[in-house]
Amino acid sequence: MSTVRYRPEGLDNLVQQTNFSKKELQVLYRGFKNECPSGVVNEDTFKSIYSHFFPQGDSSMYAHFLFEAFDTHNNGLVSFEDFAVSLSIILRGSITDKLNWAFNLYDLNKDGCITREEMTDIMHSIYNMMGKHTYPSMRDSAPKEHVDRFFQKMDKNKDGVVTIEEFLETCQKDENIMHSMHLFDNVI
Amino acid sequence: MAAGVAAWLPFARAAAIGWMPVASTPMPIPPQDKRKAQDGLIILNVSGTKFQTWRTTLERYPDTLLGSTERDFFFHEETSEYFFDRDPDIFRHILNFYRTGKLHYPRQECISAYDEELAFFGIIPEIIGDCCYEEYKDRRRENAERLQDDEEMDMNNDVTPVNLTFREYLWRAFENPHTSTLALVFYYVTGFFIAISVMANVVETVPCGTLPNRSKEMSCGDRYALAFFCLDTACVMIFTVEYLLRLIAAPSRCKFMKSVMSVIDVVAIMPYYIGLVMTDNDQVSGAFVTLRVFRVFRIFKFSRHSAGLRILGYTLKSCASELGFLLFSLTMAIIIFATVMFYAEKGSTATKFTSIPAAFWYTIVTMTTLGYGDMVPKTIVGKVFGSICSLSGVLVIALPVPVIVSNFSRIYHQSQRAEKRRAQRKTRLARIRAAKIRGTNAYMRYKQNGLLIDALEEVAGQALVGKAASPPFESQHHHLLHCLEKTTNHEFVDEQTFQANCMEISVVNKSGSRTSSLSSSPHGLSSCCSRRHRKKSSFSLPSTNNQELSTIQIRERPVSNSRSSLNAKLDKTMPLKCDEAYISPSMVRLSAPVATSSDDTSTATTTYSQSNIVRVSAL
């Protein structure tokens, strides 16, 4: 039981900082506080929550990357403000904001470009969530092939890394990606 | 999925944005969320205590009462809330389940009340959280045991049917010696003979003085061989007869033969028969002497007579694992210490520790702190290890003993509680019976009043006696019973009246009356009444003047002179006091043939050949 007690700033501040309405923030906070009574989420709680939604596979790696993306202050804890701000970007932000956020997720060391190793890690973590029992059965080379396809599509100048400009440009040209970015806008 | 985690589903879905850029195929369409504007507060009024929660909280578990449309049945329009006429204290826990996803069991609540509430709200008890599950299961098991005990008691005490087969009767006599005096006598006789037999076994080894022509002292068994043999024969014959009777009477012979008590019985009597068979054979007489040792097992037959002995045996059986552990650890320690002592004492001269097995004896005697002193270490090393051995012995034995003791205590207390419940049962049943009788009498009074009023209304055209001030529930129930009587052409009576009828009135054609809801000695009555089955005599209606002041006769079909008799009873009406909770009265079905005889028309003096006449005493 952690003794950290963290209270978010006032509701009005949050309404200004994010694109959520008051009611939406209320619903969000209630769910947040229910699961994390101390007011902050640490990585283990984060992973356990996420694992509830993907029971067949191992979601801990992807949850770890997610946590890194949410933890904007890099202090190992995600407070409600971080949570709400990130969600606001994902759900209510502009398409550029969303793509930026996704890029930030993939860029593990936050140096502005995605290397092959980083992408491979991300891909492995996504495939891990599937678990063993898939159809067709999971080959070990599947993530690597997917990474190759990704780099083929994104890496325009073939320098082995994907920069933010390349990423934005390619994504904005891809219809599927554009469409799917708006898929979850109504979850709250 | 835990309720709280369900609130994070929107977050998990939003985080799926991270997959989108790497996906190469289009995504499926998300489901339409139509119920978005439904989140509002719900007020739950449980017996006056108001609980409020979000609608979505309740709808997390749609297969329960509160989460489904079933709760609409409890919606109270005037106050716009859901009203439940249940226990608010237990409801608190149920509502917490919706909020946190964990169901807790409060220790101070009664287990059956809690189970009922759970069943009402449609929650399965298996989802009780780990923190409270053990407690819940224990309480439930105790409750089930208690109910089972009660049932067994019911089966044993209540039903005493006369038509048990001889075999079943015998078995009952053996299992519960208190049922009949013959069984009790047999019980004590066998106990006496067990004691005699055991004492004879003991006494026959005592030295009894010498015969003149022998120098050696003889034991009593050799001196009075014939007397002891006769005694042994008598005892064995009794035991054999008892065993055979039990075998015949047992409902399941195989099961009986495999039971512990039967094995003890067999072991107790076999040595005698084997001794009879091989009398003068010298070679096997050695074995025969060994067999005589088994005669001492007769003492275990006392366990049928003593509950404490049975408890001890049951305790040892239930502590088998602890005993096994004790034995195992002792064996380990014995071997270790014996080895050490042997090698420590190897050097000293004329030592008794000649081998490791020889050292076992020393180790056992030392570890159990007996210390006979027949073997003692002489070297210093030996003495050091000897003292370590005795210290560790105390520890090793002291550890499993409290477990065994606590088991014995628990089982003993359980049996004591069972005894107490049996004793309390009698008073409880007596109280229940008294309440039933009160209910019956209330009904009888209602009927008198009702018939009086009917009669008066017919005669005088107005109700002279107001309806008695009984609560509407009771009067409606009484009316219902009355309708039943009219339908079946039978009437309700109370116990005493029925017995009185059996004794006094020799009524025509009583073909086997049965009580249906009496709980005590129904068959006594039935046998009594069936004996009067064949007597036919005419029942003459006494004239009004001779009628006893304390009884009212109510007939199936009222006739004119009965009304006059009822008129005379006007001032005898007692006010009804229906203050007790209504309990169904005992109903006596007199299964009389519905043959109508011509006598039953409304004539003044009639002989009633119907058996539907009962006498009810007004209180």
Side-chain angles (χ1 to χ4, degrees), chain B residues 200-442:
Chain B
N201 283 343
V202 167
V203 166
E204 77 179 4
T205 58
V206 170
C208 235
T210 56
L211 276 183
N213 55 349
R214 298 256 186 133
S215 56
K216 207 174 61 158
E217 185 121 7
M218 287 173 67
S219 65
C220 282
D222 288 335
R223 193 154 168 191
Y224 304 104
L226 192 59
F228 277 104
F229 181 72
C230 292
L231 193 59
D232 205 19
T233 312
C235 292
V236 169
M237 271 195 336
I238 301 243
F239 297 151
T240 317
V241 162
E242 183 205 353
Y243 180 68
L244 287 175
L245 280 179
R246 272 186 208 264
L247 191 61
I248 293 172
S252 154
R253 298 213 171 108
C254 289
K255 199 168 84 132
F256 173 72
M257 287 183 74
K258 284 189 278 193
S259 74
V260 176
M261 288 310 302
S262 127
V263 167
I264 290 178
D265 286 339
V266 169
V267 167
I269 59 181
M270 280 320 272
Y272 176 80
Y273 288 111
I274 296 180
L276 275 186
V277 164
M278 42 180 215
T279 32
D280 288 318
N281 202 336
D282 276 336
Q283 281 167 336
V284 288
S285 70
F288 174 60
V289 166
T290 326
L291 270 181
R292 292 183 113 198
V293 168
F294 283 97
R295 289 187 307 172
V296 82
F297 275 84
R298 287 178 196 164
I299 208 172
F300 283 114
K301 287 167 70 76
F302 267 130
S303 56
R304 279 216 183 90
H305 298 252
S306 155
L309 210 57
R310 276 200 299 271
I311 292 179
L312 188 61
Y314 186 65
T315 310
L316 290 176
K317 194 168 67 155
S318 68
C319 298
S321 62
E322 278 82 29
L323 285 174
F325 169 67
L326 175 63
L327 209 60
F328 176 68
S329 56
L330 267 180
T331 313
M332 260 180 32
I334 287 171
I335 296 179
I336 292 176
F337 278 107
T339 314
V340 168
M341 290 308 296
F342 171 71
Y343 284 112
E345 286 287 301
K346 202 154 181 223
S348 81
T349 53
T351 181
K352 291 229 171 68
F353 294 80
T354 50
S355 65
I356 294 186
F360 280 168
W361 174 244
Y362 167 76
T363 321
I364 292 174
V365 165
T366 312
M367 283 187 91
T368 52
T369 70
L370 275 175
Y372 286 136
D374 53 351
M375 282 166 84
V376 282
K378 293 199 181 59
T379 62
I380 300 206
V381 180
K383 286 188 179 161
V384 164
F385 281 109
S387 37
I388 297 178
C389 173
S390 69
L391 287 176
S392 68
V394 170
L395 271 180
V396 167
I397 293 180
L399 282 177
V401 167
V403 177
I404 299 175
V405 166
S406 77
N407 257 354
F408 180 81
S409 158
R410 178 178 60 88
I411 296 172
Y412 179 69
H413 282 306
Q414 259 181 13
S415 84
Q416 283 222 315
R417 256 183 305 183
E419 285 294 326
K420 237 194 293 183
R421 268 205 299 269
R422 264 181 283 243
Q424 285 170 351
R425 237 182 121 63
K426 295 208 176 90
T427 39
R428 236 178 61 207
L429 283 178
R431 273 205 306 254
I432 291 176
R433 203 175 306 131
K436 271 192 187 172
I437 293 175
R438 282 198 293 270
T440 318
N441 292 335

Side-chain angles (χ1 to χ4, degrees), chain B residues 4 8 39 43 65 133 223 272 274 296 329 354 385 392 406 412 421 437 448 489 496 501 511 534 547 558 588 604:
Chain B
W8 284 66
D39 198 16
I43 303 178
L65 187 152
Y133 195 62
R223 193 154 168 191
Y272 176 80
I274 296 180
V296 82
S329 56
T354 50
F385 281 109
S392 68
S406 77
Y412 179 69
R421 268 205 299 269
I437 293 175
Q448 291 160 34
N489 282 334
Q496 297 101 326
N501 289 348
S511 55
R534 287 184 218 295
Q547 197 173 34
V588 172

